[in-house]
Amino acid sequence: MSAPISLTLRVWRQDGPGVKGRFEDHRLNSVSRHLSLLEALDLVNERLVAGGKRPIAFDHDCREGICGACAMTVNGVPHGGLGRLTVCQIHLHRFSDGDRIVLEPLRARPFALIRDLVVDRSPLDAIQQAGGFISVRPGQAPDANVVPIARDIAETALDLASCIGCGACVAACPNGSAMLFTAAKVGHLNLLPQGAPEADRRALAMVQAMDHAGFGACSNHGECAAVCPKGIGVSAIARLTRAYTGAARRQLLSL
Amino acid sequence: MTRYPPPILDPRIPPGPLAEKWRNRRASGRLVAPANRRRYEIIVVGSGLAGASAAATLGGLGYRVRCFCYQDSPRRAHSVAAQGGINAAKNYRNDGDSIDRLFADTMRGGDFRAREANVWRLAEVSNAIIDHCVAIGVPFAREYGGMLDNRSFGGALVSRTFYARGQTGQQLLLGAYAQLNQQIAAGTVTMHPRTEMLDLVTVADGNGTRHAKGIVTRHLVTGEIRAWAADAVVLATGGYSNVFFLSTNAIGCNATAIWRAYRRGAGFANPCFTQIHPTCIPPHGEGQSKLTLMSESLRNDGRVWVPKDPADCDKDPLAIPEDRRDYFLERRYPAYGNLVPRDIASRAAKAVCDEGRGVGPLVGGLRRGVYLDFTESEARYGHDAIVARYGNLFEMYESITGEDAHRRPMRIYPAPHYTMGGLWVDYDLMSTIPGLFVIGEANFSDHGANRLGASALMQGLGDGYFILPVTLPDYLARSGPSSVTPDDPDFHSVLADVRARVDGLLAVSGTRSARSFHAELGRILWDRCGMSRNAEGLAKAIEEIGELRRAFWSDLRIPGKGEELNTELERAGRVADFLELGELMCRDAMMREESCGAHFREEHQTEDGEAARDDERFAHVAVWFDQGEAPPVRVIEPLTFSAIAPAPRSYR
Ligand SMILES: Cc1cc2nc3c(=O)[nH]c(=O)nc-3n(C[C@H](O)[C@H](O)[C@H](O)COP(=O)(O)OP(=O)(O)OC[C@H]3O[C@@H](n4cnc5c(N)ncnc54)[C@H](O)[C@@H]3O)c2cc1C
Ligand code: FES
């Protein structure tokens, strides 16, 4: 743990959308294994700035695995596939001396590239705007304990609500589908009694918004769940499919 | 020359007994007719708990709202990182809690440096926050009977904290973000992500009083600098702990919005009140970019200790027998033990490390760490119960340190975490600039000299869901819809200032990165304006920061241009403001010749090393006003205490 480590970061550089990108190698010699991967990028950037060169652009903020900003592809897998970790939670002690780490942006059709490792994930916001809410105004709510919620229901809702909106699932999917993301969002609210009145509308509207935003269809590869840093499982998708078909049927019957 | 004559501070506290003030305020406020609301435009800068809840609620009322954040999505605002929980005076545990008690705990926790009318109101709205959050789908922890679960938190003897595993902040923010999304879809709120506010625009009314009527922003992808006009501006831009460089805050957290407002005439209250949180993962040294908080809730079940003998400090902790351990919090504070407020726990930890009894690796010549030990709790409640309560925190610790805290006690060390200081606001949450409202951590808030755990989320949401939506319309109704547009001269002149500033940063063309200056500023502040302060050190810090600022403006290097995504330029702008704010913090700390809450002046302590407060001279809020080239002036808002007498804090 205490011996320093040397490695190479091979980073995707691309000035902007539509221009040609390339890989650039940056060697780090004898740096602390306590550094996170993003701190290693910081070091590279300090060097680039000192040389008057444009630093590597990447999204990041909390650096503790909760804001979802830092998703990128590490050695071909979104978030690196090192267990339930986001990129910012990967520390160099997980690598071996001499390793080469390849960093690329999330590659998915709906996520337009902005620069280097930065992509536009706003289509995920669009899905939520379509119905990812419960319509209650401040002041309308009854006492919080009026509606009991069985503990396992609350816990499952929280499992689904743990999604950090990083977009890794979309980039891992060969179809560029946002099914796991949408399923987590719909599932969280639809499971709760408070979400019931709008459950059908929500499922229909959010799935539709997902299609509109250009995400691909789900063909049950399961790659999404494999890279989810919060461990959201494919069972969420089955739940959404049920909710969606039920809602579609009810909508049809009521026409 | 006085650029902005400092105003007489009028907190505009409503009449009547404490418990009736908020009702009186609501009854006396002017209203805007529903059909007229869309004629008003409101700018909300920030999409954290405070900003998102305010923007969503104002949008829901029918106002046109523009909301700005620097992240790519409002869901990533730093509130998302809060772990531990949110307080409310529900008394669901029947353990003697009440609004009165939450009020009293907050007043005491803040060491009697908060405005009591605001604190009472905070306690009063706390319950409605929980009701609302549950209704909008926040999946709080539940008991088997289906009722909401509670835990206890530092600084309180009741269990009043609601939580969602270790991600209460994310769940509350997702709730507020969902409400915001609903309004975005409805067209009442327009969201501007990746857009940073760089200045405030004020416009004079008929009497020459300048009102906040807009902002100037830079788009972080295109670099476009532009002005936005509105009828009122709300700042919900969070705290400034990143002035210390290393803190528990997200990397992008900054003071730019509030600092630029200060430079345009808003009073800055108690800048030296900064909180150092006791339970963070210890620093590892070079190259570190942030410090990671381990939720304070860990102190419920973990016991804090260090070896009695410095010779034991590098030994395997499991091999150190009970009688050679010093459970220093339990020893010094038998009544609260490991649950003393943060400032006290942090200082005590620093003291034992400074004595040479810290544990873990040497960083900068000192072992910076104390143990947080769960052995006893695991024996009492079982391994599974501890995993259920803190599983994700243990995982987080392991992923960072590579150590399993179930086997080996965790190591923790204090880190800058929260800022009680911020822009001064009156009871209506309006700053000294009419039409400029400040909510959440960005205002000087309700927490006095020290914030208690689980009360920032409560304050942010109280401000945004329940208080601002009452007080801001009163301002609008009084001033009427304005006719200003971004084409007015006032906007042009601020735009020109911002462009000059950005160009100025790019033009320095020196050799050093913004980050290197930031790190140096952080070291100065941590050493001299951190957990303990003295006059000599503060004077020195003011001098050093001045020099550093000059070096910054002559040796900064930013590759690239302004009209593109330029992360170095973003950072440089923030660091430039921190370099000014840091100096104001030191000035404030210097003038406050007492110890209170998180502000510990070495010259003012009791014989046993506790803070010595001076209510005769310092029972006030210190509010600073910028004077351009001349030193800032300090104006005070005296504090009065009608409900509980300001006794010295005792957690013994
Ligand atoms: C790790 C951690 C854990 C915590 N845990 C708890 C807890 O358990 N309980 C508790 O009560 N409190 C906790 N706190 C404190 C609490 O989270 C914060 O005080 C609170 O969330 C702040 O909310 P806010 O809305 O005021 O600001 P933030 O959530 O910080 O939001 C600021 C917003 O302003 C925007 N912004 C900032 N500057 C600009 C600019 N110049 N231009 C445009 N936009 C800008 C940002 O994009 C963001 O949207 C914790 C804090 C930390 C750091
Ligand atoms: S930076 Fe927030 S999740 Fe990685």
Side-chain angles (χ1 to χ4, degrees):
Chain A
M1 194 65 191
S2 51
I5 186 170
S6 299
L7 19 86
T8 303
L9 298 185
R10 167 164 285 192
V11 185
W12 184 258
R13 304 299 306 264
Q14 184 172 343
D15 282 344
V19 301
K20 224 167 117 43
R22 64 191 188 285
F23 280 109
E24 205 173 78
D25 281 359
H26 294 277
R27 181 138 182 91
L28 287 172
N29 286 322
S30 298
V31 297
S32 163
R33 283 173 199 266
H34 288 289
L35 293 182
S36 71
L37 199 47
L38 296 188
E39 287 169 343
L41 269 179
D42 290 342
L43 278 186
V44 170
N45 276 346
E46 283 298 286
R47 235 161 45 191
L48 287 168
V49 172
K53 299 211 186 79
R54 182 170 76 66
I56 300 158
F58 60 100
D59 268 326
H60 62 103
D61 205 20
C62 73
R63 296 205 175 189
E64 51 186 68
I66 194 74
C67 77
C70 63
M72 63 177 85
T73 302
V74 181
N75 291 335
V77 184
H79 291 303
L82 296 166
R84 292 184 184 179
L85 297 177
T86 54
V87 174
C88 59
Q89 292 176 303
I90 302 175
H91 289 257
L92 299 190
H93 60 72
R94 293 177 185 274
F95 297 99
S96 311
D97 218 31
D99 276 0
R100 187 178 67 194
I101 307 170
V102 186
L103 303 177
E104 291 171 86
L106 293 183
R107 299 201 193 268
R109 205 169 359 103
F111 297 163
L113 185 126
I114 294 176
R115 176 171 267 188
D116 298 342
L117 304 171
V118 180
V119 298
D120 176 7
R121 283 170 290 189
S122 58
L124 296 179
D125 290 311
I127 295 174
Q128 305 199 74
Q129 287 158 13
F133 46 78
I134 294 174
S135 306
V136 178
R137 292 166 189 279
Q140 287 180 322
D143 182 87
N145 260 344
V146 160
V147 184
I149 302 178
R151 188 180 163 148
D152 54 333
I153 298 279
E155 290 294 308
T156 310
L158 181 50
D159 287 340
L160 295 168
S162 301
C163 165
I164 57 173
C166 64
C169 50
V170 178
C173 174
N175 309 337
S177 169
M179 197 64 168
L180 187 66
F181 170 82
T182 310
K185 298 298 173 188
V186 174
H188 154 216
L189 295 177
N190 280 19
L191 255 177
L192 296 170
Q194 288 83 359
E198 292 166 297
D200 282 1
R201 276 184 59 181
R202 180 176 303 118
L204 292 170
M206 289 177 74
V207 169
Q208 201 176 46
M210 177 179 82
D211 292 341
H212 271 305
F215 291 98
C218 172
S219 47
N220 297 315
H221 283 273
E223 301 288 342
C224 49
V227 300
C228 176
K230 298 297 149 181
I232 294 169
V234 283
S235 61
I237 295 181
R239 200 190 289 275
L240 174 61
T241 312
R242 273 199 308 278
Y244 180 81
T245 44
R249 198 176 54 238
R250 280 186 290 277
Q251 191 186 42
L252 211 64
L253 290 176
S254 71
L255 278 180
Chain B
M1 199 192 73
T2 302
R3 280 213 311 170
Y4 302 105
I8 311 282
L9 293 170
D10 177 4
R12 301 204 296 157
I13 298 165
L18 260 189
E20 281 164 36
K21 287 182 186 300
W22 182 226
R23 198 176 73 200
N24 291 340
R25 182 70 193 87
R26 278 177 294 164
S28 69
R30 288 214 204 160
L31 301 174
V32 178
N36 285 340
R37 292 182 192 156
R38 77 178 90 85
R39 293 168 60 204
Y40 291 93
E41 181 154 329
I42 301 166
I43 284 174
V44 177
V45 188
S47 63
L49 287 180
S53 60
T57 308
L58 290 166
L61 287 169
Y63 298 99
R64 282 181 295 126
V65 180
R66 282 188 193 283
C67 183
F68 296 81
C69 72
Y70 69 75
Q71 295 91 347
D72 67 328
S73 164
R75 80 157 309 282
R76 308 201 204 285
H78 175 59
S79 293
V80 79
Q83 302 169 351
I86 175 168
N87 283 336
K90 284 285 193 185
N91 193 30
Y92 282 160
R93 284 296 178 93
N94 195 25
D95 56 0
D97 203 4
S98 62
I99 290 172
D100 306 59
R101 194 177 289 278
L102 176 53
F103 162 77
D105 284 348
T106 309
M107 288 300 294
R108 262 187 224 114
D111 219 359
F112 295 93
R113 292 296 173 262
R115 188 190 291 144
E116 64 173 7
N118 289 49
V119 176
W120 184 279
R121 177 178 61 188
L122 176 66
E124 201 177 331
V125 301
S126 66
N127 292 338
I129 297 170
I130 301 302
D131 297 341
H132 183 60
C133 289
V134 166
I136 62 174
V138 174
F140 283 121
R142 302 251 164 193
E143 297 175 338
Y144 282 106
M147 297 294 137
L148 289 159
D149 193 15
N150 290 109
R151 53 164 65 143
S152 51
F153 238 66
L157 297 177
V158 292
S159 284
R160 61 161 74 101
T161 304
F162 296 78
Y163 67 101
R165 266 175 231 157
Q167 45 169 291
T168 315
Q170 158 154 271
Q171 294 312 320
L172 293 171
L173 184 63
L174 288 177
Y177 164 71
Q179 302 295 293
L180 186 66
N181 280 332
Q182 182 178 19
Q183 296 305 321
I184 294 172
T188 57
V189 177
T190 308
M191 189 68 216
H192 298 271
R194 293 201 197 267
T195 310
E196 181 164 21
M197 167 179 165
L198 294 184
D199 216 332
L200 178 76
V201 183
T202 60
V203 176
D205 64 12
N207 306 318
T209 306
R210 300 194 77 85
H211 293 241
K213 289 293 170 208
I215 61 171
V216 170
T217 60
R218 178 172 176 275
H219 192 268
L220 299 181
V221 175
T222 63
E224 186 197 15
I225 293 174
R226 67 171 284 187
W228 308 86
D231 294 285
V233 176
V234 181
L235 300 186
T237 49
Y240 54 88
S241 292
N242 273 355
V243 71
F244 288 99
F245 182 59
L246 289 182
S247 84
T248 63
N249 286 13
I251 302 292
C253 290
N254 68 90
T256 289
I258 57 170
W259 189 253
R260 290 291 124 201
Y262 163 77
R263 296 295 303 266
R264 296 276 171 201
F268 202 122
N270 299 332
C272 81
F273 286 174
T274 56
Q275 180 170 75
I276 314 287
H277 196 294
T279 51
C280 303
I281 297 180
H284 61 65
E286 279 309 295
Q288 187 148 18
S289 61
K290 78 159 281 167
L291 296 167
T292 304
L293 175 78
M294 304 296 290
S295 170
E296 170 165 38
S297 59
L298 290 167
R299 285 199 276 143
N300 278 323
D301 291 306
R303 297 179 69 196
V304 177
W305 65 276
V306 290
K308 284 184 178 160
D309 182 352
D312 285 346
C313 286
D314 54 358
K315 290 207 178 118
D316 176 1
L318 303 178
I320 301 175
E322 271 307 298
D323 64 336
R324 296 180 64 86
R325 300 176 176 191
D326 178 13
Y327 293 89
F328 56 93
L329 291 178
E330 296 169 26
R331 171 172 59 78
R332 284 179 65 177
Y333 308 100
Y336 280 66
N338 295 297
L339 288 177
V340 289
R342 293 172 177 177
D343 52 334
I344 292 177
S346 290
R347 263 198 307 278
K350 179 179 189 292
V352 294
C353 292
D354 290 350
E355 280 169 26
R357 294 196 288 140
V359 297
L362 287 164
V363 174
L366 206 62
R367 290 185 201 281
R368 295 169 202 260
V370 300
Y371 289 123
L372 180 64
D373 196 332
F374 289 86
T375 316
E376 197 179 292
S377 297
E378 294 215 8
R380 188 177 319 138
Y381 304 112
H383 174 80
D384 293 349
I386 296 300
V387 172
R389 277 178 215 175
Y390 310 112
N392 68 325
L393 296 171
F394 279 62
E395 280 170 26
M396 189 177 208
Y397 182 79
E398 182 164 7
S399 104
I400 294 178
T401 61
E403 290 173 21
D404 178 358
H406 293 292
R407 290 165 191 275
R408 222 185 133 85
M410 230 174 231
R411 283 174 296 114
I412 55 169
Y413 194 68
H417 175 62
Y418 182 87
T419 50
M420 285 74 68
L423 291 188
W424 184 87
V425 288
D426 63 15
Y427 188 77
D428 283 358
L429 305 178
M430 191 164 84
S431 72
T432 56
I433 301 178
L436 180 69
F437 292 79
V438 192
I439 59 176
E441 192 174 340
N443 71 22
F444 87 105
S445 90
D446 308 345
H447 309 295
N450 171 58
R451 177 174 71 78
L452 292 182
S455 57
L457 303 182
M458 168 171 74
Q459 183 226 330
L461 290 178
D463 288 358
Y465 281 135
F466 294 105
I467 300 171
L468 190 79
V470 172
T471 61
L472 191 145
D474 176 76
Y475 167 80
L476 296 176
R478 283 169 202 280
S479 42
S482 81
S483 53
V484 297
T485 77
D487 287 327
D488 295 349
D490 288 307
F491 286 79
H492 281 291
S493 97
V494 177
L495 264 175
D497 289 350
V498 169
R499 291 212 171 95
R501 204 176 151 73
V502 169
D503 292 344
L505 287 166
L506 288 162
V508 179
S509 301
T511 63
R512 289 179 57 183
S513 69
R515 183 191 160 98
S516 74
F517 290 104
H518 194 180
E520 209 173 317
L521 173 67
R523 274 193 297 272
I524 297 172
L525 288 174
W526 175 256
D527 287 344
R528 307 199 188 280
C529 195
M531 264 183 287
S532 68
R533 301 144 175 199
N534 61 57
E536 196 191 335
L538 290 165
K540 196 116 192 215
I542 292 174
E543 215 173 283
E544 289 168 345
I545 295 171
E547 279 163 30
L548 188 62
R549 204 165 47 229
R550 281 185 289 281
F552 176 89
W553 284 102
S554 62
D555 200 16
L556 172 71
R557 172 170 221 164
I558 305 173
K561 5 185 244 303
E563 302 77 30
E564 62 176 344
L565 191 161
N566 188 333
T567 47
E568 283 300 303
L569 175 61
E570 288 166 33
R571 189 189 274 269
R574 295 169 188 159
V575 174
D577 292 334
F578 283 142
L579 282 165
E580 296 179 10
L581 167 59
E583 180 176 322
L584 190 71
M585 285 165 58
C586 296
R587 279 182 193 277
D588 187 45
M590 177 88 108
M591 296 291 287
R592 192 171 278 278
E593 292 171 331
E594 64 161 349
S595 294
C596 59
H599 170 65
F600 190 77
R601 279 287 298 266
E602 288 159 12
E603 303 92 325
H604 303 279
Q605 50 181 310
T606 63
E607 267 168 23
D608 39 13
E610 299 298 331
R613 214 174 61 207
D614 184 348
D615 291 334
E616 291 275 293
R617 293 171 64 215
F618 289 100
H620 60 237
V621 182
V623 191
W624 294 84
F625 289 90
D626 183 49
Q627 301 296 306
E629 295 302 307
V633 297
R634 181 179 188 269
V635 179
I636 64 166
E637 178 201 336
L639 294 169
T640 51
F641 308 103
S642 64
I644 27 173
R649 278 197 309 177
S650 173
Y651 293 92
R652 283 174 188 262

